[in-house]
Amino acid sequence: MVGLIDCDNFFCSCEKVFRPDLEGKPIVVLSNNDGCVVARSREVKAMGLPECLPYYRLLEEYPDSGIIAFSSNYTLYADMSARVMAVLRQEAPDVWQYSIDEAFLDLHGIDISTLKEWGEALCRKVRQYTGLNVSLGIAPTKTLAKLASRFAKKYPAYNKCCVIASDLQREKALRLVPVRDIWGIGRRMARSLENCGIRTAFDFTRMPREEVRKRFHLGAERTFAELLGQPVIDIESIDGITKKTILTSRSFPALINELDDLIPHVANYAARCACKLRRQHSVCSMVSVFVHSNHFREDLEQYDNSTFHTFLTPTATTPEIVEAAIECLKRIYRRGIYYKRVGVMVTDISPDMTIQPDLFTYDPGRRNKLNSVSQTLDNINSRMGADTVVLGAQQYRIKDKSGKNLKFVNAIRRALKSPDYTTRLGAFVVN
């Protein structure tokens, strides 16, 4: 049997753990630069507030709702996630973290007749140790476990743990799940199935397997088999995936037209791409940068452009990738344009154990120093919190009212960010 444990309203719940006064109040968490709503508490969902609602519209359309907004605090969320995973690893034979708030559990060796009791006890322990509510779904396959976890979250009678162990339980569950809510079924495929009269997961399992293989992709056939209780999705296919392209891009909180103001954003995005490369033990041979103006501002001149830099020797070091990205930005920057978005993408990714150095330009001494700098950055930021130490180019500079003195701040706007309760002692200092 396989378990899927999911933290309930994770981002919002993390904010509530250290703020008991927020219990029962509607709260939302915003995206980077406080752009739009990315997480909603149970109370906000009950109000009908849609996901991805821009923050300015939230202020305009729900002025007297009492909704409390927070900027995203990924340092806090990552640490709370690690605490949840630590509890799971104490109790389950094996754990594979699927996302920041989800994990698959290998329940091999646990008596099926005791799984319900065991699962409820696990959810209580996570709540006791972390302050977070979790929902657990247990089933023969990962896709069914994903469905079961939704039932555990939606229906209080399950006491946070839903077990699908028999064919009767499986069919009953499949009849209640819309086809568009199946893990692995995308929007296009869901529309195609609904046009054929297939409304539920049970309807989908009534299709001939040959037709599923013929009309849809291999992933759909795997999902089909999993819904029938046949485990075919290996954990390796959802854990430890090596990305072939890494992109970091965000819209600005306000239009920017100065090159010096664009550089910190590009430097931050490039540094994040480099960190992700090292995390998966990869290197890249190309970095690309693109810029966009605001197409909704018809009164302003429009401009889009992109360019790239090729590394003769593949790299994953932060200084090299940041430097290349800034040079790309300088090539495509146009004075007088008001920019709304920039992005950095690294491609031609390969394992870091198979680097082929360039014969004429490769400098082993310099490369070792850059690798050492990048590793030191990772070590400090992993222990002390993200962006504790950054390159100078990553700091966003603002001028005081006199226009002379510069102040360095984070390039990403997080005006409503909560303290880093679990990683910084200063979060509890009372002035």
Side-chain angles (χ1 to χ4, degrees):
M1 299 289 279
V2 177
L4 186 281
I5 199 152
D6 184 8
C7 299
D8 300 348
N9 305 310
F10 181 61
F11 288 0
C12 295
S13 297
C14 289
E15 299 290 351
K16 290 183 176 182
V17 167
F18 298 93
R19 290 280 305 276
D21 59 302
L22 295 177
E23 191 60 40
K25 295 183 179 180
I27 71 172
V28 298
V29 175
L30 307 175
S31 63
N32 284 307
N33 290 320
D34 298 341
C36 61
V37 174
V38 294
R40 302 163 293 166
S41 66
R42 181 178 62 255
E43 296 80 10
V44 172
K45 293 178 181 178
M47 295 168 58
L49 187 142
E51 193 175 9
C52 298
L53 180 72
Y55 183 46
Y56 77 90
R57 285 185 52 193
L58 170 63
L59 298 176
E60 293 175 354
E61 299 176 14
Y62 300 85
D64 302 318
S65 61
I67 295 176
I68 303 171
F70 288 92
S71 301
S72 51
N73 186 347
Y74 296 118
T75 300
L76 173 64
Y77 307 151
D79 188 70
M80 293 299 292
S81 174
R83 296 181 181 211
V84 172
M85 299 305 157
V87 176
L88 300 182
R89 292 187 176 96
Q90 291 177 359
E91 301 297 323
D94 209 347
V95 178
W96 298 280
Q97 186 169 356
Y98 174 57
S99 65
I100 193 171
D101 64 340
E102 291 179 293
F104 285 100
L105 312 178
D106 179 5
L107 304 182
H108 178 74
I110 301 178
D111 189 348
I112 293 181
S113 63
T114 65
L115 279 176
K116 173 67 173 173
E117 181 181 356
W118 179 88
E120 292 178 2
L122 176 62
C123 294
R124 288 194 300 268
K125 184 171 183 178
V126 173
R127 169 68 181 181
Q128 179 185 358
Y129 280 42
T130 68
L132 298 173
N133 287 315
V134 296
S135 300
L136 175 61
I138 299 175
T141 69
K142 297 173 184 64
T143 303
L144 288 174
K146 187 86 169 176
L147 296 181
S149 70
R150 292 187 178 183
F151 285 117
K153 180 181 294 188
K154 186 175 182 180
Y155 301 106
Y158 282 113
N159 199 21
K160 310 305 292 183
C161 179
C162 174
V163 179
I164 299 177
S166 66
D167 286 339
L168 181 62
Q169 291 172 328
R170 179 180 60 82
E171 291 186 8
K172 182 178 179 180
L174 295 181
R175 291 180 186 275
L176 298 174
V177 178
V179 70
R180 61 178 58 249
D181 290 342
I182 302 173
W183 183 47
I185 301 295
R187 284 178 293 181
R188 289 186 178 181
M189 183 177 173
R191 285 196 298 268
S192 178
L193 290 169
E194 289 171 348
N195 290 337
C196 297
I198 298 172
R199 307 295 180 184
T200 67
F202 181 78
D203 296 337
F204 180 57
T205 60
R206 297 299 93 189
M207 293 180 63
R209 187 162 184 165
E210 294 75 14
E211 183 179 353
V212 174
R213 183 187 303 114
K214 181 178 179 180
R215 292 186 55 185
F216 305 105
H217 47 74
L218 179 60
E221 185 182 0
R222 291 176 177 172
T223 299
F224 177 86
E226 291 257 321
L227 292 174
L228 292 176
Q230 304 167 9
V232 295
I233 298 180
D234 296 329
I235 199 65
E236 289 78 9
S237 64
I238 59 175
D239 182 65
I241 297 175
T242 300
K243 297 180 180 179
K244 300 302 182 184
T245 299
I246 297 176
L247 169 67
T248 303
S249 174
R250 298 183 183 94
S251 296
F252 305 138
L255 296 178
I256 296 177
N257 66 339
E258 294 292 337
L259 177 62
D260 288 343
D261 294 334
L262 288 172
I263 287 177
H265 293 278
V266 170
N268 272 283
Y269 302 162
R272 283 166 173 75
C273 289
C275 184
K276 292 176 182 178
L277 280 172
R278 295 192 295 273
R279 195 176 299 149
Q280 67 176 26
H281 304 289
S282 300
V283 291
C284 73
S285 296
M286 181 182 295
V287 57
S288 305
V289 175
F290 63 84
V291 295
H292 294 316
S293 58
N294 189 347
H295 294 282
F296 295 99
R297 290 289 302 272
E298 297 180 356
D299 57 317
L300 298 175
E301 182 180 356
Q302 301 300 316
Y303 175 69
D304 296 336
N305 205 348
S306 64
T307 189
F308 63 89
H309 173 86
T310 301
F311 297 105
L312 297 179
T313 299
T315 183
T317 67
T318 295
E320 285 182 297
I321 293 178
V322 168
E323 181 182 9
I326 292 175
E327 288 302 317
C328 288
L329 173 65
K330 291 179 178 179
R331 292 205 302 267
I332 59 178
Y333 170 77
R334 270 181 54 186
R335 186 177 297 276
I337 299 296
Y338 286 83
Y339 297 93
K340 182 60 178 175
R341 185 183 187 91
V342 300
V344 177
M345 181 170 61
V346 293
T347 53
D348 289 352
I349 295 175
S350 59
D352 59 7
M353 299 298 293
T354 59
I355 298 177
Q356 179 64 51
D358 180 66
L359 178 62
F360 301 103
T361 63
Y362 182 68
D363 183 348
R366 181 174 183 273
R367 176 53 61 89
N368 289 336
K369 290 181 180 179
L370 293 175
N371 286 333
S372 179
V373 168
S374 299
Q375 186 62 51
T376 301
L377 288 173
D378 292 342
N379 291 339
I380 294 176
N381 291 331
S382 65
R383 294 198 311 267
M384 307 300 294
D387 297 333
T388 299
V389 178
V390 298
L391 301 182
Q394 292 178 245
Q395 293 182 300
Y396 186 67
R397 298 172 294 178
I398 58 175
K399 297 180 180 180
D400 60 16
K401 293 182 179 179
S402 67
K404 297 180 180 179
N405 299 320
L406 293 177
K407 178 183 178 182
F408 294 94
V409 298
N410 195 297
I412 300 175
R413 184 175 70 183
R414 291 174 180 162
L416 306 173
K417 177 178 171 293
S418 59
D420 298 330
Y421 297 107
T422 61
T423 55
R424 292 183 183 273
L425 291 176
F428 295 98
V429 175
V430 179
N431 295 322

